[in-house]
Structures are given as C-alpha cells and as structure tokens.
C-alpha cells in the first residue's frame, strides 16, 4: 500500500444512486469535503456494501426509486446493521411521499432533486453530528449503568473510581490488591463494564483452584486427544474471553511453570492450546487480583518477578472497609434494599442504634462481611426497621466504639461534605434514640424546628425508621 491517507480515517459515507451523473457528482462533492465516499449503483450493491463493511457506515445517502430496489430497503438494511447509522434519502418530485415515509421509518431527513450542493453538505454535516452525539450518549449511558454498581463516596473510593474511568478505555493490565472481601472482583468488573469490551465476556479464574496440568488446559485450552481423558476439544478461558476481559484471581498461586506460559501469552497475545502445534491469536484484556502481599511473594520466589512487572502496570489498592467508614451507610442501605426485594420483605431501614453499630464495626471480612450481615439482618427482621437484635453479636457490640475520630483530619485529607453529612446523621440518630423516636423531642434536643428535623431525616433516609405509632406531628402549621 502507498503512503497513509492525508485525512486520517475520514468518515465513511455510502452513496447509493442508479444515475451515474448524480453518483459521480455526489462522490466529488463529498470527497472534496473530506469524506471517504463509497458509491454504488443500486439496492443490491448497497446491501452488500452495508453487510460487508468492517465498521457500519456512519452515514448512507440513498436514492429512493432504483431499478433493482427501493431506498426504503437500503434504509432498513442500514438500520438493521447498526441503528446508529444515519440515512439521508434523495427524492425526486414523484417520490416525496415515500421520502416522508422514510423519515417516519427512521431516516434522518430527505432532499429533493434538484438540490443545492451547499444544502446537501450542511445536511450531511448535521446528520453526522447526530451520529456522533448518539454514539457518545450510548457510551456514557453504558458507563453510568456500570459505575453505580460500585458504591462508595469516601475519598479513597472516589480516587479508585477516577482511576477506573481513566484506565477502562485502554488495554493495560491492572493488578488489584486488597484484603479479602474489599471488592476486587467488583472493581475488575467495573473496569470491564466501562470499557469498549463490555459486550464481550468477562471471565474470572481462580488460579489456585486446579492442579497444574488441568490449569493449563483451563486457561489455554486443549486439542482432542491431547492427554488421557481429553475426549473433545476445549477452548480454554483465554479464547472464551476473546474480545473481553479475563480476571486472574489469586494470581500468586499459579504454578511457576504456568507463570512462564502466561507471561508469554501476555507478551505475544497468542495462546498455544495443549497438544496443538500452532499458536492462536487472542485479544483479551487481563486483570489480576490478589489479597496476598505480592512483593513478599516475589521475594519468596512464588511469584515470578517478570510476570509481576508485566501485571503490575497499574495497581489499584482497595483499602479495608474500616479505613473508609464513610462508605458503610450507603453500602448497608444498598444491600438492605436488594435483600428486602429478593426476600419480598417490607424492610425499609435501620433503627438508629443498629445503624450506629454497623458504622462502628471493624469488619475483618470487609464489604462481603457487611453484605452478609445485612442479608442475615433482613432475613431476621420482624419489623420495617432492622434493629440491634437483628445483627450478629460481634457487630451489635460495636456501638459507640469508634466515633470520636470524625473530628480529626486524616493524614490523606477528607471529604468535608461527607464528614459533615455523617456528623449530622449521627447526631440525628442520637437524638432520635434519646427521644425514643419522638420527633418533637428530638428536634428540641438538636435546637432545630420540627420542619427542619423532618427535612433532615428525609435527607438521611431516616424518616422511615421513626415509629409512626409514636407519631408526634404537631397540628399542621
Ligand atoms: N463498592 C462496592 N459496592 C457494592 N458492592 C460491593 C462493593 N465492594 C464489594 N462489594 C460486594 O462485596 C462482595 C465482595 O466483593 P468481591 O468479591 O469483589 O471482593 P474480593 O476483594 O474479590 O474478595 P476475595 O478477596 O475474597 O476474592 C461482593 O458481593 C461484592 O458485590
Ligand atoms: Mg475475589
């Protein structure tokens, strides 16, 4: 091939018209404006071009009445291949009705023959602008849909999510570290879901789960008859995850011989199935997770240093939950709603002392332990609010342990709004507690009006934990 095109990856436009003169004119006009034009003479050729283009056309310009088919069919084919493709219909006077129908069926607009070239060029520009906006909105929607899955507004989790957003579009390997239950797999999934790979599989393999021989075929696949018992061909996780993401969990437990093979796969982007003579290309983004001290594993010789460097291009460290307590209320709330729905129970909140106990516990099992605690509590709850008695003793006993530290500035700073929010919540909870849930009394204890208290309770989703029977609303003002 000759030198690269002057306009890097110019926008492709498909022009469909049976009139050679018009086809040529459109080609010249649009190329002059920097588009990469493919011009075809009829419906059948258009269908072929639409189906076979490596990427869907952003824009199709089609005549309506052609000897071998209709522009309406071109429109339908283009939209079937990619709904984001925009279609502009060119119509003669006699087919204006069909053009209106085309717009109803999803065409961007139509132009009547004869047309001003400037009018057409403007329309093409606008249609492509819409195409871009639609694609951008889709991309953002998908990102938004994926991201709220990770709950956490603490400074530490915000920093993690910022990093996730920045690295998601790349194919960098990422090493995710953190104690058991801190959400490593959840973050790996968030990376996959916010990347262009989201439509392809996200697979997880526990590297310590299988003996070496089985592990190799699990990862890289095997040919039929590769070893005794290999009665059929096995694709292997790398090829199953092709186009997607593979999370290597507890990567430090991979047998050393396989670590060498894994490193090769990461570098060459090709796998050799057990018993195969040929390597097969794979396109997989690899993420690794571990709750061990990886540097120590390297020092001890159980994790190869070269593999460690290859995996650890970016490291995401998830702090234990006890070091980001700001996240506890939102996590507990999220889990409570989910389990209440799953179990079909009318549980809507936590009593103040239960909320306080949850926020004060140390959680050696981190987010997973909180999740299990809330699941159990929802199952046990006999009222609309989860009470202290619904929590396991080790959590219920945490009330009042750690609360003073809110007024100290942590070494890595804090999120002032989140801290003030938490201070307000705790004082509200304490006042409700002391007043036995009587809101007028709680308002008095806090020196605020009843309205103000009610507003604040709503803000903290505490309104529901107030016992409505003890209702004390003053006669409405
Ligand atoms: N930030 C979060 N938001 C919502 N759910 C979370 C979050 N972090 C963790 N979870 C939930 O907590 C549980 C444990 O998380 P995950 O499995 O990702 O932890 P892990 O670090 O991979 O644990 P392990 O080291 O034991 O493999 C999961 O059910 C997960 O959905
Ligand atoms: Mg895990």
């Amino acid at each position: 091939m000759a030198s690269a095109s002057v306009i890097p990856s110019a926008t492709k436009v498909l022009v469909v018209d049976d009139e050679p003169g018009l086809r040529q004119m459109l080609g010249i006009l649009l190329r002059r404006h920097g588009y990469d034009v493919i011009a075809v003479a009829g419906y059948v050729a258009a269908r072929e071009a639409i189906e076979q283009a490596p990427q869907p056309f952003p824009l199709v310009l089609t005549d309506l009445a052609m000897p071998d088919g209709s522009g309406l069919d071109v429109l339908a084919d283009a939209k079937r291949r990619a709904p984001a493709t925009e279609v502009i219909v060119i119509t003669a006077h006699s087919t204006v009705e069909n053009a209106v129908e085309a717009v109803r069926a999803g065409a961007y607009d139509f132009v009547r023959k004869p047309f001003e070239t400037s009018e057409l060029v403007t329309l093409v520009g606008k249609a492509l602008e819409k195409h871009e906006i639609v694609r951008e909105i889709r991309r953002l929607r998908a990102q938004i849909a994926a991201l709220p899955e990770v709950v956490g507004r603490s400074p530490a989790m915000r920093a993690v999510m910022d990093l996730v957003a920045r690295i998601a579009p790349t194919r960098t390997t990422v090493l995710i570290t953190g104690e058991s239950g801190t959400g490593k797999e959840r973050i790996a999934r968030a990376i996959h879901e916010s990347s262009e790979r989201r439509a392809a599989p996200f697979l997880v393999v526990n590297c310590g789960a299988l003996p070496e021989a089985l592990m190799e075929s699990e990862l890289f696949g095997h040919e039929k008859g590769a070893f005794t018992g290999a009665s059929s061909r096995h694709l292997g996780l790398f090829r199953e995850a092709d186009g997607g993401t593979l999370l290597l969990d507890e990567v430090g437990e991979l047998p050393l011989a396989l670590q060498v093979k894994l490193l090769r796969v990461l570098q060459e982007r090709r796998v050799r199935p057990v018993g195969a003579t040929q390597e097969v290309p794979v396109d997989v983004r690899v993420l690794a997770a571990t709750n061990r001290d990886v540097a120590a594993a390297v020092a001890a010789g159980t994790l190869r240093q070269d593999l460690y460097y290859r995996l650890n291009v970016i490291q995401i460290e998830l702090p234990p939950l006890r070091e980001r307590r700001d996240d506890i209320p939102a996590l507990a709330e999220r889990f409570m709603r989910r389990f209440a729905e799953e179990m079909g129970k009318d549980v809507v909140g936590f009593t103040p002392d239960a909320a306080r106990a949850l926020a004060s516990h140390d959680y050696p099992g981190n987010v997973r332990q909180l999740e299990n605690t809330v699941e159990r509590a929802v199952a046990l709850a006999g009222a609309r609010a989860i009470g202290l008695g619904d929590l396991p003793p080790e959590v219920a006993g945490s009330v009042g342990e750690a609360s003073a530290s809110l007024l100290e500035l942590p070494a890595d700073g804090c999120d002032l709004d989140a801290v003030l929010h938490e201070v307000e919540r705790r004082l509200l909870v304490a006042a409700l507690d002391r007043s036995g849930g009587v809101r007028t009394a709680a308002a008095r204890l806090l020196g605020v009006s009843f309205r103000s208290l009610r507003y604040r309770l709503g803000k903290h989703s505490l309104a529901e934990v107030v016992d409505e029977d003890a209702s004390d609303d003053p006669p409405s003002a």
Side-chain angles (χ1 to χ4, degrees):
M1 274 269 125
S3 63
S5 140
V6 187
I7 308 151
S9 67
T11 308
K12 282 209 161 53
V13 177
L14 178 66
V15 170
V16 190
D17 203 309
D18 58 313
E19 257 177 72
L22 193 59
R23 203 164 62 231
Q24 198 180 19
M25 188 276 270
L26 286 171
I28 294 170
L29 177 68
L30 294 175
R31 281 192 194 102
R32 206 191 305 141
H33 282 84
Y35 300 111
D36 183 357
V37 179
I38 292 176
V40 296
Y43 167 66
V44 175
R47 188 181 58 198
E48 222 159 83
I50 287 168
E51 277 169 9
Q52 284 166 16
Q55 299 292 324
F57 288 98
L59 179 66
V60 176
L61 223 62
T62 181
D63 190 12
L64 265 185
M66 295 173 287
D68 67 340
S70 157
L72 288 172
D73 294 325
V74 175
L75 168 70
D77 289 348
K79 289 285 181 185
R80 201 175 311 122
R81 167 84 201 262
T85 295
E86 294 298 341
V87 177
I88 294 174
V89 163
I90 304 166
T91 174
H93 183 66
S94 60
T95 51
V96 167
E97 260 174 35
N98 290 350
V100 173
E101 190 188 323
V103 170
R104 252 189 238 120
Y108 178 76
D109 206 345
F110 65 87
V111 280
R112 275 174 229 240
K113 285 191 255 191
F115 49 80
E116 293 281 335
T117 54
S118 64
E119 178 198 4
L120 183 85
V121 169
T122 308
L123 200 57
V124 163
K126 280 194 184 155
L128 284 169
E129 207 175 312
K130 181 181 167 210
H131 170 79
E132 268 316 304
I133 292 171
V134 167
R135 273 175 32 141
E136 182 68 8
I137 290 175
R138 286 218 182 137
R139 209 174 53 74
L140 291 174
R141 275 221 190 105
Q143 267 185 17
I144 291 167
L147 293 184
E149 289 293 305
V150 177
V151 177
R153 292 174 48 84
S154 61
M157 284 309 286
R158 283 192 195 194
V160 166
M161 292 316 290
D162 276 353
L163 192 55
V164 166
R166 269 185 290 141
I167 60 174
T170 70
R171 59 167 296 160
T172 317
T173 45
V174 181
L175 180 63
I176 307 166
T177 59
E179 286 180 14
S180 178
T182 44
K184 297 183 292 296
E185 185 170 333
R186 178 56 68 118
I187 289 297
R189 195 175 287 277
I191 293 174
H192 171 76
E193 297 283 321
S194 12
S195 78
E196 302 265 301
R197 297 173 171 266
R198 76 183 73 85
F202 170 82
L203 300 179
V204 184
V205 55
N206 183 340
C207 294
L210 294 173
E212 183 176 327
L214 287 179
M215 198 59 178
E216 178 167 5
S217 114
E218 185 68 15
L219 286 173
F220 310 130
H222 64 242
E223 292 300 316
K224 186 174 173 177
F227 48 82
T228 336
S231 55
S232 63
R233 194 164 157 265
H234 178 60
L235 212 49
L237 288 165
F238 266 93
R239 278 185 291 166
E240 275 171 38
D242 204 11
T245 308
L246 179 61
L247 172 63
L248 304 172
D249 209 358
E250 287 318 326
V251 67
E253 289 177 22
L254 204 63
L256 281 167
L258 278 186
Q259 292 186 20
V260 181
K261 291 186 177 161
L262 173 63
L263 182 62
R264 234 190 95 72
V265 171
L266 293 178
Q267 275 160 353
E268 309 292 325
R269 298 185 185 171
R270 307 170 80 80
V271 295
R272 185 199 294 272
V274 178
T277 48
Q278 297 277 317
E279 292 192 329
V280 192
V282 285
D283 169 27
V284 172
R285 181 189 203 161
V286 171
L287 305 175
T290 181
N291 57 29
R292 306 285 164 86
D293 181 346
V294 267
V298 172
T302 54
L303 177 63
R304 289 179 60 99
Q305 187 159 35
D306 46 10
L307 179 62
Y308 170 63
Y309 285 142
R310 187 68 189 74
L311 293 173
N312 194 23
V313 179
I314 300 273
Q315 185 172 350
I316 293 183
E317 196 181 337
L318 289 176
L321 188 56
R322 63 188 166 280
E323 286 172 19
R324 45 176 165 117
R325 289 184 188 280
D326 307 4
D327 291 340
I328 295 175
L331 282 165
E333 176 92 12
R334 175 71 66 98
F335 295 145
M336 179 269 297
R337 289 190 195 282
R338 194 179 86 216
F339 290 121
E341 181 153 325
E342 272 176 32
M343 299 178 202
K345 290 192 73 162
D346 190 16
V347 173
V348 295
F350 300 89
T351 63
D353 47 4
R356 200 161 6 131
L358 283 172
S360 317
H361 189 61
D362 265 349
Y363 300 100
N366 294 295
V367 183
R368 180 179 296 110
Q369 184 188 356
L370 175 60
E371 189 176 23
N372 295 341
T373 302
V374 173
E375 178 176 11
R376 173 183 184 277
V378 172
L380 290 178
R384 298 182 64 200
I386 288 169
L388 206 51
D390 301 323
L391 301 179
E394 71 274 13
V395 177
S398 307
V399 185
E401 266 169 30
S403 58
S405 62
L406 266 185
L407 293 180
E408 277 156 30
L409 182 62
D412 61 344
C414 72
D415 176 342
L416 181 60
D417 286 333
V419 173
L420 291 177
H421 186 84
E422 180 61 16
V423 167
E424 181 175 74
R425 201 182 64 84
R426 290 195 190 180
L427 289 172
L428 285 170
V429 163
L432 280 177
D433 209 17
R434 201 177 303 167
S435 69
V438 178
R439 286 177 290 179
T440 41
R444 215 173 305 122
L445 282 169
L446 294 168
V448 299
S449 68
F450 178 79
R451 269 166 154 266
S452 161
L453 179 83
R454 200 173 49 187
Y455 162 74
R456 288 168 209 266
L457 291 178
K459 188 169 79 178
H460 290 270
S461 313
L462 287 168
E464 291 140 332
V465 304
V466 177
D467 184 2
E468 289 298 333
D469 291 337
S471 182
D472 47 343
D473 297 31
S476 68

